[in-house]
Amino acid sequence: MVVVITSDNQQPILQKDDAQHPLAKLNRLHLWLLVALNIVFLLFGQAAAVILGRFYYEKGGNSKWMATVVQTAAFPLLFIPYLFISSPQTHSEASNQPSIITVSVVYFVIGVLVAGDNMLYSIGLLYLSASTYSLICATQLVFSAVLSYFLNHQRFTALIMNSVVVLSLSASLLAVNEDSDKPSGVTKSKYVIGFLVTLAASAMYALLLSLIQLSFQKVLKKETFSVVLEMQIYTAIVATAVSTVGLFASGEWKTLHGEMGSFTAGKLAYVMTLVWTAIAWQICSVGVVGLVFVVSSLFSNVISTLSLAITPIASVMILHDKMNGVKAIAMLMAIWGFCTYIYQNYVDDHKASKAPSAVDATPNESRSC
């Protein structure tokens, strides 16, 4: 999974009236086109990555560590926007930078947690259909709201509480669904394991978001485009290194050649599935960071939430996942939970735009989740 960078910043990271920034040269139409492009990157990147991940397992892939490696292995793609678009640094920011050791420890800890979280997601996708997997992943909003309340001192509202309850009930329906669309060869016990592991991965993902937010607030103390990208790149490097060590330490690397030969779609399809899965995750990541850059971290988080609703629909259409009555109700409930979550973010953003000075003075109270 791509870690979505979020913070209390609700304003665009680059002010478009600053002549030093690239966006200052773009007219309103070009800005909207850039926003639309990043939305497409995020939505279709994540949907394609999940669907290709499930395709890998369905066609004979069985290496959980390989499925984990590809989630961050294409991180070099992030150097493209990093090299071409940089954020100017003021003298005060340069003098207030944390030590390299402190920043390195932050990146290392978060990177290790990302690798562990990606492993949990890989196990979950092995035992669940893509649509069921995506619906369970939606519970990350529940965990995010709860953890943000305790770790980031962000308040609960009626809309957020509604989202938490509805998404929890949606996941509960999938847990008790007797007519579940288990992938071929997956037993009832493995389905339960997949459900619980994906639930744990969602909780860990929410914890990562809160830790990243705390890192921006307490350690990095700023959120420029460069810093956001550095967080994505360096944590991905650590996560890829940890996952690669796991691949070799587990001995799964010895089975990859035979796995390629037995891949029912062919050897070329095997390689291309892994390559495009890795690329799709990083395209999603570019979309996440791009929206933070062009609009705001709040808007990026809202669109990331929307992508959780699109992936189950895409998996039903492309992978022909079974859609029974229970899952249909669970999906509708999840979409309702998404809508209330997004609307709360819209309300908060509207209030913040009317009182920018209040937001600057008390950033921790500007967002609900």
Side-chain angles (χ1 to χ4, degrees), residues 61 130 182 244:
K182 297 187 293 291
T244 303

Side-chain angles (χ1 to χ4, degrees), residues 124-145:
L125 193 57
L126 173 62
Y127 297 141
L128 301 173
S129 67
S131 55
T132 301
Y133 163 88
S134 299
L135 287 172
I136 298 172
C137 285
T139 57
Q140 71 187 47
L141 298 181
V142 177
F143 295 114
S144 181

Side-chain angles (χ1 to χ4, degrees), residues 305-321:
T305 303
L306 181 62
S307 69
L308 294 174
I310 291 179
T311 304
I313 298 173
S315 60
V316 169
M317 295 174 60
I318 297 174
L319 294 178
H320 307 293
D321 283 358

Side-chain angles (χ1 to χ4, degrees), residues 19-259:
Q20 298 183 41
H21 296 310
L23 294 183
K25 301 178 182 179
L26 301 179
N27 59 37
R28 190 173 183 83
L29 175 61
H30 290 160
L31 282 173
W32 275 109
L33 289 175
L34 191 58
V35 170
L37 179 63
N38 282 290
I39 290 175
V40 170
F41 280 170
L42 197 162
L43 295 180
F44 287 92
Q46 178 158 317
V50 172
I51 290 172
L52 285 171
R54 184 58 234 167
F55 179 82
Y56 165 75
Y57 286 132
E58 285 189 354
K59 299 302 179 180
N62 197 45
S63 173
K64 296 182 287 293
W65 278 112
M66 176 56 73
T68 302
V69 169
V70 298
Q71 293 185 48
T72 52
F75 67 84
L77 291 176
L78 295 177
F79 281 107
I80 298 175
Y82 182 75
L83 294 176
F84 282 95
I85 306 175
S86 61
S87 301
Q89 188 177 60
T90 64
H91 182 268
S92 61
E93 287 177 337
S95 61
N96 196 34
Q97 285 185 336
S99 67
I100 295 178
I101 295 178
T102 301
V103 175
S104 298
V105 170
V106 169
Y107 290 159
F108 179 78
V109 171
I110 292 178
V112 171
L113 290 176
V114 168
D117 193 42
N118 288 346
M119 181 59 174
L120 292 176
Y121 278 121
S122 297
I123 296 173
L125 193 57
L126 173 62
Y127 297 141
L128 301 173
S129 67
S131 55
T132 301
Y133 163 88
S134 299
L135 287 172
I136 298 172
C137 285
T139 57
Q140 71 187 47
L141 298 181
V142 177
F143 295 114
S144 181
V146 174
L147 289 172
S148 292
Y149 177 79
F150 289 105
L151 296 180
N152 305 114
H153 307 292
Q154 293 174 350
R155 59 190 173 86
F156 263 112
T157 65
L159 288 173
I160 294 300
M161 181 60 72
N162 176 79
S163 179
V164 167
V165 172
V166 171
L167 288 170
S168 298
L169 290 175
S170 174
S172 299
L173 281 176
L174 294 174
V176 300
N177 184 15
E178 292 294 335
D179 192 22
S180 58
D181 56 333
K182 297 187 293 291
S184 177
V186 174
T187 63
K188 177 77 173 180
S189 59
K190 287 183 177 180
Y191 176 86
V192 173
I193 291 173
F195 179 90
L196 294 176
V197 168
T198 306
L199 202 62
S202 299
M204 191 170 178
Y205 182 85
L207 176 61
L208 274 167
L209 294 184
S210 293
L211 291 177
I212 289 173
Q213 183 172 333
L214 282 175
S215 299
F216 279 120
Q217 293 172 346
K218 306 297 184 181
V219 181
L220 303 175
K221 297 180 180 178
K222 61 179 179 177
E223 188 189 359
T224 64
F225 177 68
S226 297
V227 172
V228 170
L229 260 182
E230 286 170 3
M231 174 70 81
Q232 294 275 37
I233 292 171
Y234 294 129
T235 55
I237 291 174
V238 173
T240 302
V242 171
S243 302
T244 303
V245 170
L247 177 65
F248 283 92
S250 66
E252 285 189 2
W253 66 276
K254 299 177 182 178
T255 67
L256 295 182
H257 186 269
E259 186 177 275

Side-chain angles (χ1 to χ4, degrees), residues 300-346:
S300 180
N301 192 42
V302 169
I303 300 301
S304 299
T305 303
L306 181 62
S307 69
L308 294 174
I310 291 179
T311 304
I313 298 173
S315 60
V316 169
M317 295 174 60
I318 297 174
L319 294 178
H320 307 293
D321 283 358
K322 185 178 179 181
M323 179 58 69
N324 56 32
V326 173
K327 182 184 283 190
I329 294 173
M331 182 178 293
L332 291 175
M333 292 177 68
I335 292 174
W336 175 252
F338 296 141
C339 291
T340 56
Y341 177 87
I342 291 173
Y343 182 70
Q344 180 63 64
N345 280 305
Y346 166 77

